[in-house]
Amino acid sequence: MSFLSATLDRVKPSPTIAVTTMANELKAAGKDVIGLGAGEPDFDTPDNIKAAAKVAIDAGKTKYTAPDGIPELKQAICAKFKRDNGLDYAPAQVSVGTGGKQILYNALMATLNPGDEVVIPAPYWVSYPDMVLLAGGEPVIAEATADTAYKLTPAALEAAITPKTKWFIFNSPSNPTGAAYSRDELKALTDVLMKYPHVWVMTDDMYEHLVYDGFEFCTPAQVEPGLYDRTLTCNGVSKAYAMTGWRIGYAAGPKELIGAMRKIQSQSTSNPCSISQWAALEALNGTQDFIPTNNETFKRRRDMVVEMLNAAEGITCPTPEGAFYVYPSIADCIGKTTTAGTLIDNDETFAKALLEETGVAVVFGAAFGLSPCFRVSYATSDENLIEACTRIQGFCASLT
């Protein structure tokens, strides 16, 4: 009999973390590796946020806090939702966790029973299905293909809903595709959800502020007020504020759900880092001027990467509306052979051969539930991106 829990057999390690780890190990061994797998901005945390953390340390704000966040931060989150999304929440409807991932996990753990289903559009963030499985639920995958710009259609959503559906997880802008839903596109989905009052909505709005070309972000409860009482609106400071390592995520929703999430968190991690909470308070309340500046850089990188990847033989790369990822198709590379003799029979083989033969690390599409593709994070320097894309072009050109 194994010492380990059988629950572990239901899940797998994060492929994105695995790719980053492999790239770092190769770098440490002296290999020339360019990592395009990490989903975090290469910008430093803004100075005003770092200063707020230092003030908090000097003021002795280093003790335990309430399990799910200090009152000041909860109030700032309420103000953020009102300011940015037109949503009214009270502090008792807010939960603060150790990163967005904990927020999602707490909600699933607090609500799922064996046999409950969770509809997840694919391509999806790699952790969604595994968190559902860990919580005892069953992920139901609804594909959003390149033909629909990687956006779920109302028909595909409705086809995935059953009497066992408890949650619909919605992520826009998307990791891994960068696809973002317009108000009209989102309204078409919420119209479907209004027909099924037993289905709750869990939004992942982590990339809310990373949108380009005049795109206007909106979130489900904002578009359809009728969903307010069964929506958990999730967000965090990791991406827009370059605070990935600070580990602060948050959500707002019905008091009963927030209370259940608090109970889960009180018996697992307890409160998020006190210093990180005070830093997040400054992030939400302080200047937002750096966000458009950073977005200009991201947009320039996006356009450069899309152009260079579309110039590679066998690759088709759509232009996304947000986040800092692109999700190119390698359908025309399947069946070809590399100069080292590797047959490219799927996107995992492609990514592995690309890393071994060129030193470029990307994440294969199967990890996100839709093949044959791969994800590139363009949250790195122009120099790295140009060199990486040049190597990808050379690799594709050498396939026979």
Side-chain angles (χ1 to χ4, degrees):
M1 179 181 294
S2 172
F3 172 73
L4 301 177
S5 167
T7 302
L8 288 175
D9 294 335
R10 290 168 60 85
V11 301
K12 56 187 180 299
S14 168
T16 52
I17 293 176
V19 167
T20 302
T21 300
M22 185 183 303
N24 289 337
E25 288 173 350
L26 288 171
K27 283 183 182 179
K31 303 292 186 181
D32 179 16
V33 174
I34 302 174
L36 302 181
E40 63 178 346
D42 57 321
F43 306 120
D44 193 14
T45 302
D47 288 342
N48 64 306
I49 298 172
K50 292 191 290 186
K54 295 171 186 176
V55 169
I57 292 172
D58 291 339
K61 298 183 184 298
T62 56
K63 308 298 183 183
Y64 292 132
T65 75
D68 61 348
I70 58 176
E72 294 87 346
L73 180 53
K74 287 190 174 187
Q75 190 61 58
I77 290 166
C78 292
K80 173 261 176 289
F81 278 126
K82 181 64 174 178
R83 178 180 69 240
D84 295 343
N85 311 114
L87 293 172
D88 289 305
Y89 291 108
Q93 292 177 274
V94 173
S95 179
V96 182
T98 306
K101 183 178 286 189
Q102 185 180 37
I103 289 291
L104 302 176
Y105 183 75
N106 285 349
L108 294 170
M109 285 294 294
T111 57
L112 291 182
N113 295 307
D116 286 344
E117 296 177 350
V118 178
V119 175
I120 303 171
Y124 47 69
W125 180 44
V126 294
S127 293
Y128 294 147
D130 288 299
M131 286 194 289
V132 170
L133 291 167
L134 277 172
E138 299 297 331
V140 174
I141 307 304
E143 284 196 355
T145 65
D147 293 341
T148 59
Y150 298 125
K151 299 176 189 180
L152 190 68
T153 65
L157 171 59
E158 189 152 21
I161 294 174
T162 76
K164 296 181 179 180
T165 305
K166 179 160 281 188
W167 285 102
F168 168 54
I169 296 181
F170 180 75
N171 175 215
S172 172
S174 160
N175 175 5
T177 66
Y181 292 71
S182 69
R183 179 176 287 271
D184 288 345
E185 290 168 335
L186 185 49
K187 183 63 167 63
L189 295 181
T190 60
D191 285 348
V192 172
L193 293 165
M194 287 298 292
K195 295 161 59 177
Y196 299 93
H198 68 288
V199 179
W200 283 55
V201 184
M202 183 183 299
T203 79
D204 182 349
D205 298 345
M206 191 64 73
Y207 298 90
E208 169 184 7
H209 294 298
L210 303 179
V211 292
Y212 316 112
D213 304 320
F215 182 88
E216 293 187 12
F217 172 85
C218 50
T219 194
Q222 175 185 12
V223 169
E224 177 48 75
L227 291 174
Y228 176 88
D229 289 333
R230 53 184 168 109
T231 296
L232 183 68
T233 303
C234 307
N235 211 314
V237 298
S238 294
K239 311 300 182 178
Y241 299 97
M243 294 177 67
T244 50
W246 297 77
R247 308 309 302 134
I248 294 291
Y250 57 83
K255 289 182 181 179
E256 183 179 8
L257 174 58
I258 295 299
M261 292 167 60
R262 182 186 308 116
K263 182 185 293 187
I264 296 288
Q265 189 159 308
S266 71
Q267 297 294 2
S268 55
T269 63
S270 193
N271 66 273
C273 171
S274 61
I275 303 306
S276 294
Q277 291 188 63
W278 288 102
L281 175 66
E282 173 61 23
L284 295 179
N285 284 350
T287 179
Q288 311 290 301
D289 291 348
F290 57 87
I291 293 177
T293 301
N294 289 353
N295 281 3
E296 289 177 10
T297 300
F298 279 139
K299 180 184 182 301
R300 187 188 70 249
R301 292 172 177 174
R302 179 203 65 175
D303 294 344
M304 177 179 66
V305 168
V306 167
E307 181 180 359
M308 292 190 72
L309 289 178
N310 276 322
E313 295 181 30
I315 289 182
T316 303
C317 184
T319 302
E321 294 90 351
F324 40 67
Y325 309 107
V326 294
Y327 199 68
S329 167
I330 56 162
D332 292 337
C333 295
I334 300 299
K336 295 185 177 181
T337 303
T338 73
T339 55
T342 300
L343 174 66
I344 304 297
D345 54 356
N346 56 46
D347 50 36
E348 185 172 4
T349 304
F350 177 94
K352 184 178 180 181
L354 182 68
L355 177 57
E356 292 175 345
E357 299 182 29
T358 74
V360 175
V362 300
V363 186
F364 58 92
F368 304 103
L370 190 72
S371 297
C373 304
F374 65 94
R375 188 192 77 173
V376 165
S377 168
Y378 53 84
T380 187
S381 69
D382 290 26
E383 180 183 8
N384 280 343
L385 291 171
I386 292 170
E387 178 60 25
C389 289
T390 300
R391 294 184 192 182
I392 292 171
Q393 288 175 348
F395 177 79
C396 290
S398 69
L399 299 177
T400 56

